[in-house]
Amino acid sequence: MPIGLPQPGLGEILIDGQPVRFASPLEARRSGIETVYQDLALADQLTVWQNVFLNRELTWGPKGIGILRRAEMRRRSQDLVQRLAVNVPSATRTVKRLSGGQRQAIAIARAVMWSRQFVIMDEPTAALGLRETAQVEDLIRRIVDEGTSVLIISHNFEQVMRLAQQVWVMRAGEVVNGERVSDISGVELVAQVTGAAGMPPSTEALTAGPADREAN
């Protein structure tokens, strides 16, 4: 669910150490927080570049006219997919003609382009096969290496262990633990999620720095 749609009843959200409260998902986007949804939120009938700039179209001309700068949007989208090594033939390709992995890569690339703080990914490989999952995971590693912070929401514990540096465990809507992935095993992670480990609620999960890349 997008940040800003549900309103928090307790606690606070900090960005660069400053408390923020979003009245809508649009406000969260304006603060540089991007989301890759499980359903991708792509328009199948539009091209790659049109999806990248959807609702953020570049225009020129007198105020109120807004003539589209199509060539620039196509160029910037093509540069984006090439920089991230996204396996897409062309930014002019219609999204409906792409594979599931290519669509996922476009949704991630779009988020990276507009993010200034971090990217939230909801089950980024849930509907993909093994090969496409590996390709998307490689893309996630590349954008993290470039300096983008990523928070992954996933029930794939093996993927969490492969990708995450910090993990927060939630059970029944509560954060029950937070640890560096290097300090926890996959078996322990499953036990904490299922409640078999009997972990008490921990405040450590709420004190990670903004530079951490996480998964829960």
Side-chain angles (χ1 to χ4, degrees):
M1 188 174 293
I3 287 182
L5 188 58
Q7 295 299 309
L10 294 172
E12 59 183 356
I13 301 173
L14 304 179
I15 295 182
D16 293 331
Q18 300 300 313
V20 296
R21 190 176 182 91
F22 302 122
S24 70
L26 183 58
E27 286 190 7
R29 289 178 64 182
R30 288 171 176 165
S31 295
I33 300 172
E34 291 291 323
T35 303
V36 179
Y37 302 98
Q38 190 168 352
D39 64 1
L40 303 186
L42 296 175
D44 284 350
Q45 303 301 321
L46 300 181
T47 63
V48 169
W49 71 265
Q50 287 172 324
N51 273 278
V52 169
F53 283 91
L54 188 62
N55 200 36
R56 288 165 163 162
E57 291 83 1
L58 303 181
T59 61
W60 65 275
K63 186 176 181 179
I65 295 180
I67 300 172
L68 292 175
R69 291 151 55 186
R70 296 175 183 271
E72 182 176 354
M73 289 188 284
R74 285 194 295 267
R75 177 185 58 77
R76 289 179 59 177
S77 298
Q78 190 66 45
D79 290 346
L80 174 69
V81 298
Q82 289 178 349
R83 175 172 65 85
L84 296 178
V86 174
N87 182 28
V88 174
S90 170
T92 60
R93 182 68 63 93
T94 305
V95 165
K96 69 178 181 180
R97 298 174 60 190
L98 302 179
S99 69
Q102 289 173 325
R103 293 182 189 207
Q104 186 72 55
I106 292 303
I108 293 173
R110 176 178 63 183
V112 170
M113 181 171 186
W114 298 107
S115 170
R116 299 191 311 278
Q117 295 292 342
F118 64 91
V119 176
I120 302 171
M121 299 186 187
D122 184 10
E123 302 285 357
T125 61
L128 302 181
L130 291 177
R131 186 176 69 174
E132 290 187 327
T133 292
Q135 292 172 345
V136 170
E137 288 185 0
D138 285 343
L139 173 58
I140 293 172
R141 292 188 186 96
R142 285 197 296 273
I143 66 176
V144 169
D145 289 342
E146 287 191 356
T148 299
S149 295
V150 176
L151 187 150
I152 298 176
I153 302 167
S154 179
H155 294 90
N156 185 330
F157 301 134
E158 292 181 354
Q159 183 176 76
V160 170
M161 299 301 292
R162 287 195 299 267
L163 293 179
Q165 297 177 14
Q166 176 85 19
V167 59
W168 284 273
V169 178
M170 295 189 69
R171 186 172 65 251
E174 299 288 337
V175 176
V176 297
N177 195 34
E179 294 190 48
R180 302 298 290 179
V181 170
S182 57
D183 297 330
I184 189 172
S185 70
V187 173
E188 291 171 327
L189 179 61
V190 172
Q192 291 179 17
V193 171
T194 59
M199 294 295 300
S202 171
T203 58
E204 294 179 0
L206 305 179
T207 59
D212 286 329
R213 283 86 176 184
E214 323 85 0
N216 66 2

